[in-house]
Amino acid sequence: MNPQNPWRPTRRRLTDSLLAAIAPVAAFSLALGGLTTWVTAGKAGSPARIAVSNGRVFLPYGNSTETAAFFDVMNLSGADDRLVGVTTPAARGGAELTRHRMTGGGAATRESVASVAIRADGELAMSPQDLDVVLQPKAGWRAGDLVSFTLHFEHHTPIRTLAVVIRPSGRAS
């Protein structure tokens, strides 16, 4: 380089500079386009907003040491979540999510469930015929008592709620 002649753009230098600038601009444009498509398609969603209602737990009867609790769980957002567990201080040995399956001849089996999906803008309605929470109560409950539960989710913070003790026929008294 000549000290009297400062840097002068040449066609080759301009071409090299332009090519060096195109790579990050293209990467940015591709990322922005992908993000825009994702948001427009509704995939971005919002954090899960969960509501729990209609908590009920069966009054144990006879010599049974186990009973079941049921809740209605609503996902009020655009993002899926999962119910990953239920706890209660009113149970011996914890509480377990279970699903009931009908087998031939009117018999049913019960299997442990690690988690349950709650779709965006969807609802999970637990029932004796499908999904429930099995537990062993600590003390003698009476119909109408309230039992504290905490539902744990994959994305949402745990939700504390109450379930009313009802007779298996469905009536609290």
Side-chain angles (χ1 to χ4, degrees), residues 1-10 13:
M1 185 156 137
N2 186 345
Q4 294 174 344
N5 189 4
W7 182 84
R8 297 181 77 197
T10 65
R13 286 182 180 167

Side-chain angles (χ1 to χ4, degrees), residues 33-74:
L35 253 163
T36 302
T37 303
W38 186 53
V39 169
T40 304
K43 301 296 184 190
S46 57
R49 289 190 326 263
I50 304 290
V52 177
S53 64
N54 198 21
R56 58 236 183 263
V57 59
F58 281 159
L59 180 67
Y61 60 95
N63 294 330
S64 177
T65 60
E66 288 185 337
T67 191
F70 313 93
F71 303 91
D72 292 339
V73 182
M74 290 140 300

Side-chain angles (χ1 to χ4, degrees), residues 73-166:
V73 182
M74 290 140 300
N75 186 344
L76 306 171
S77 70
D80 293 347
D81 206 341
R82 296 190 77 72
L83 176 63
V84 296
V86 179
T87 57
T88 177
R92 284 186 292 245
E96 177 183 27
L97 283 170
T98 64
R99 185 174 303 280
H100 298 269
R101 302 266 187 221
M102 293 305 292
T103 62
T109 62
R110 179 177 83 187
E111 59 188 34
S112 219
V113 177
S115 66
V116 180
I118 307 168
R119 299 283 174 222
D121 297 315
E123 182 175 350
L124 169 67
M126 294 184 186
S127 74
Q129 292 78 31
D130 188 23
L131 184 75
D132 62 12
V133 179
V134 173
L135 63 141
Q136 292 183 343
K138 279 185 181 176
W141 292 341
R142 294 189 319 232
D145 288 349
L146 296 176
V147 179
S148 173
F149 286 87
T150 303
L151 280 68
H152 302 271
F153 300 90
E154 186 174 58
H155 302 293
H156 194 278
T157 57
I159 295 178
R160 297 176 75 192
T161 189
L162 296 173
V164 64
V165 177
I166 62 171

